[in-house]
């Protein structure tokens, strides 16, 4: 399925400004705005609370227990990119730590999303380098097998194409295809705009039942109240 | 097993004062006081460290990927209630976020225990609205299927009857049946009272072996010391 | 496999000074220094962020749902020891809480590593008593079956012999056999010494590809760049 | 939550004839007939393919690693009963093997449903004694702690009251409350009766889209066909 | 990420003859032949031992607990197709049983691969309708939400494009992109051809060490023999 | 913890006759006979029902995704040996298939126990080569990193020393240290001898309660009967 041993040097990145605006809206709103799709599996968690970032995807495909390609991908990071790392089989090893974070940061990376483990999490937290991963492990890796850079990858159950927009926060990680990013932003912003008014009503004690006009459909569906 | 599509409007809540006192004693003590029963599965975790609450249960039964009934249950929350949400099949979707939390809080809910996922956890944490759940996920839900409100439900392996007392903290969630709440409180309080003295002895270097007179039973059981 | 019902009173502890120095280097460095071995499974997590400790192992073998032997092992703790608790079958019960922590601390224990659950985590955190475990659970345990103290045990997939050095931090838990501790320390220290320079280079924008001379081996392995 | 250390000698069993008929309809049909409720978690699997049974529930509550109460419950089995065994905490130990199966069979038990492990599965298979469980494990258990017999229990996420009907086959285990068993049987039988005709139509190439008149609702919901 | 509510009626299927030949070679050989990629996660298991099939993919995207689109996809099955069903969130419900299998079979489907649960497995086995899935569950589903048919989907971690070749047997499920199917077949066939001779040598007692000339590279890598 | 890159050519094997006799008694009896220890985690399952074997352990330590050392260990197999394969981190890849099985069988191996995945399970089943493993996966492995042969390893949670006796059947895998094998055999045989009489009594309807004289200790423990 995957093309192996190749590095695509030129990719078309989605608009960084759209990425920033989607990031401000957050994963839940963006995920809803694109029809409840694009979310990575919920086992992907930030290494520290409050981590929040958005940017353009550069992708890398790794082998289990082998982080060689993380050094290869570093060269192709541009400011504002988020590295999306997929692995060809389930693995919890610690592929990424302080040194690679230092290098990624120097290249301008905004964060890392890796379907595997990382280490040096105390230092990464101090560096404020945000990482979403499925495990934390001191287990190191070898540098022996070729994967690929900037091919489309499946990361934690979601397809990520290089240049896509990635939004990540405490609620998880969402991928927004470059082609539909502008439209998703508009839908998400509209959704967000309507939330303030709703929040105020609900805070005042208005019920969602009334605000969303649910009483009639509930009755039609057959809901019975028993005193 | 479950009665579907019904909302019981009138439930008998356990004494709120007993709920408060049990909350002060904490889940571990309460759980021991009722014969080591009533604990929800340990995969139920608070969304922020230090969350601690007790109250009376209002229950809701949900379908996978469908949070319609959370709007229905909101109407039946009274100040001091904790909403206990069960799902008919395993699901990690984010059923509950900022808007529902605003509504629940306005109704006086003390917290939420849900055998599924929630989202907007950064905002929920800022609101200090405590939630115990099995997943965090930006994945939204539909509003299509009827469940029930205030029927007995199995939540994370424990039977919860509406009106029961719920105690939740960093160690998990315990259910105390309304009928035995007073007796459980007395046992728990007595247990707690004896702990201060024990703590002092242990802090002074006395061994549990001596304080609990374990040396003889250990010897009888055949424990051998080898130098 | 295990000798049951025995307590070895005299064990030979590794050098406490070596333990301290290994602790300062951290689990990732120590794990690499001994050939990427000795790591406990990554499901072992600290109960609070920033927990960090090293010391000499005293071991205890427990049965599922039974913490009797934790009282037995307490008597054999010396200042600087870390208690390593293994269980004969998978169990998430809360074997250890405030009272035992008070006792262990009074005996000089530096921490606990247990392949099971603990409780009272808020209090343990306030006490700054570091624990690595696989679950948090209010579920208590009985005191009915004999295990053993200071026999070699398999804890979370790693063999721990009494007196071995244990290093634990946010990245996990590593065991260093007493016999090879001095050598591992030297290798780890050398590794650490070289990291400062590397970090500086990477921070300045030098690529790992160049710093580690990876371009040639990557080319030999067949990596293709596509523009 | 659970009453501990009690054995209820007299329970009211649902009609054995209804149990037999529900068994013939199978778990999927019965589960649908009671509004898609009553199913135990799908991790409960038969120890051999083709196992299929129905009967009336006698319940037993066990502690982790302790099978004492299985000997107590044996005395209360009547011909046609299925033993439903719940455990107070997750445990995979092998609670049940050849000897207990011989005893249960002699008492007339139709099968066992246990939210834990069993052993001697080759012999149990030869005996054609059907068991649904969550693990197979040679690990034995102790006989030290009291549980209860014939109290309502939560088994694999479902509430089972003594005397309820249990239907189990390759697709899982469903509980039917005694009170609604007759009505569930009627609904299930009607459902089954309509399936033969549907099967014939579908086998002849008629589409579910047409047989169930789904084309219009799909169009209303907005489904678009693209050539 | 996914286009929702659309059905692509015209897809280009890979050559059925190539699919048949790849099927005869088996998943392990095919997976190796395309550079160890294209394998679905190993939790995907056949519902009966010996299931073995290959064909062209028609894809369907489902929502958790909702099998409506399985009726929609049925219309687009052609003889020799394998239905690949993905779900937008983790779900173990039984989406597929006897009736749908009857319909799929009547349409000429060669099998089903579904990242969720199925039911009626005894009947499906008797029908010899092969299914690979992640769970078996009597739990039924609703028909309420639109997904899509014949869009690219991520199923159990692998990207499947409509028309791709799918090979499935006891070892799992592999996807072969239509574009590279012929080349993968050649590589796989060559690999297979060389295996007979190897098998004969190994059966005669020749060691892989010698047959693959591994002794020198092992020595270079530093392997030490100790008597 | 592990010595890496070494092969111990000379190991002392336990008595093959004792291994055969322990095998005939089965894992459950042997496990009980050595104080309920020595069992590998219950996730280790045979690839076909009815697999049953015993023999002497030769051990091999592997890296994730790398099966090079399986070729190295093959040279050290003697008739009656069982290969015990441990991995330095969790991995489900298919390390072992038809070719290696052919080689192992030619060397006289009685079976394989591997804490990872295998493939070609249909062929292995036809060959009647018994394997216990934690996954089945077509995913192949590389040959790049050195592990070790015939060092003590932790496999699925149990310590295995080269030359130990391994007993495996449908209930799991048990390790018996060479030093205590004769004593364990005697205890196990005595246990087995007493089972026939017990079985006959239980089959005749005698209760375990009476046969084991449990009524008095149950009463002492406080069990209450309620009519």
């Amino acid at each position: 399925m995957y093309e192996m041993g190749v590095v695509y040097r030129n990719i078309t990145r989605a608009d960084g400004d759209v990425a920033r605006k989607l990031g401000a809206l957050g994963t839940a709103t963006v995920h809803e705005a694109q029809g409840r799709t694009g979310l990575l599996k919920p086992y992907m968690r930030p290494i520290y609370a409050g981590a929040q970032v958005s940017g353009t995807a550069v992708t890398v495909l790794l082998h289990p227990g082998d982080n060689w390609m993380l050094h290869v991908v570093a060269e192709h990071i541009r400011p504002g990119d988020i590295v999306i790392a997929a692995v060809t089989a389930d693995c919890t090893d610690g592929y990424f730590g302080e040194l690679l974070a230092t290098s990624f940061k120097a290249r301008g990376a905004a964060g890392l999303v890796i379907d595997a483990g990382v280490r040096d999490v105390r230092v990464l937290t101090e560096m404020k380098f945000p990482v979403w991963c499925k495990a934390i492990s001191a287990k190191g890796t070898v540098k022996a097998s070729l994967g690929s850079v900037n091919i489309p990858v499946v990361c934690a159950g979601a397809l990520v194409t290089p240049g896509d927009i990635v939004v990540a926060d405490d609620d998880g990680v969402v991928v927004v295809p470059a082609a539909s990013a502008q439209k998703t932003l508009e839908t998400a912003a509209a959704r967000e705009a309507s939330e303030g008014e709703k929040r105020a009503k609900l805070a005042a004690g208005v019920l969602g039942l009334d605000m969303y006009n649910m009483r009639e459909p509930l009755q039609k569906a057959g809901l019975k109240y028993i005193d």
Side-chain angles (χ1 to χ4, degrees), chain A:
Chain A
M1 192 173 88
Y2 286 123
E3 197 183 359
M4 283 296 188
V6 296
V7 178
Y8 285 89
R9 267 196 279 239
N10 299 312
I11 63 170
T12 307
R13 285 164 173 84
D15 185 333
D17 194 50
V18 174
R20 255 186 310 281
K21 287 174 181 162
L22 284 168
L25 293 165
T27 55
T29 298
V30 171
H31 163 72
E32 290 284 348
Q34 60 181 351
R36 290 201 303 278
T37 69
L39 188 71
L40 277 67
K41 301 259 180 198
Y43 63 70
M44 295 295 285
R45 301 295 305 144
I47 58 167
Y48 53 86
Q52 202 174 357
V53 80
S54 64
T56 39
V58 296
T59 68
V60 58
L61 181 66
L62 305 163
H63 289 282
D66 190 316
N67 79 343
W68 208 11
M69 298 306 289
L70 287 180
H71 288 281
V72 177
V73 77
E75 189 171 24
H76 304 280
I77 295 169
R78 293 202 193 151
D81 282 344
I82 294 175
V83 178
I84 303 290
V87 187
T88 59
D90 286 349
C91 184
T92 60
D93 288 359
Y95 281 76
F96 180 92
E98 183 183 2
L99 289 183
L100 272 166
T102 301
S103 177
F104 276 32
K105 210 172 177 178
R107 307 291 301 178
L112 170 70
V113 173
I114 181 165
D115 193 4
V118 300
R119 57 186 188 177
D120 298 336
V121 292
R122 194 180 49 75
V123 178
L124 299 184
T125 302
E126 287 165 9
M127 291 171 69
K128 289 287 168 208
F129 188 84
V131 177
W132 284 257
C133 57
K134 77 167 181 187
I136 292 168
S137 172
K139 179 85 162 57
T141 48
V142 300
K143 296 174 205 330
S145 296
L146 290 189
S148 289
V149 166
N150 282 332
I151 62 167
V153 295
V154 173
C155 181
L159 179 66
V160 185
T161 301
D164 282 353
I165 288 173
V166 176
V167 180
D169 57 23
D170 290 275
D171 292 343
V173 183
V174 176
V175 182
V176 180
S180 58
Q182 180 60 40
K183 193 181 138 218
T184 296
L185 173 58
E186 285 158 24
T187 313
R191 192 181 161 89
E192 173 73 2
S194 75
E195 294 226 331
E197 194 189 348
K198 285 181 193 162
R199 203 181 298 115
K201 279 191 187 173
L202 293 168
V206 175
L207 286 166
L209 286 181
D210 298 312
M211 193 173 78
Y212 297 115
N213 298 313
M214 288 173 174
R215 292 193 191 270
E216 196 186 315
L218 283 165
Q219 194 186 350
K220 273 193 186 157
L223 190 66
K224 287 178 297 187
Y225 285 87
I226 297 172
D227 286 319

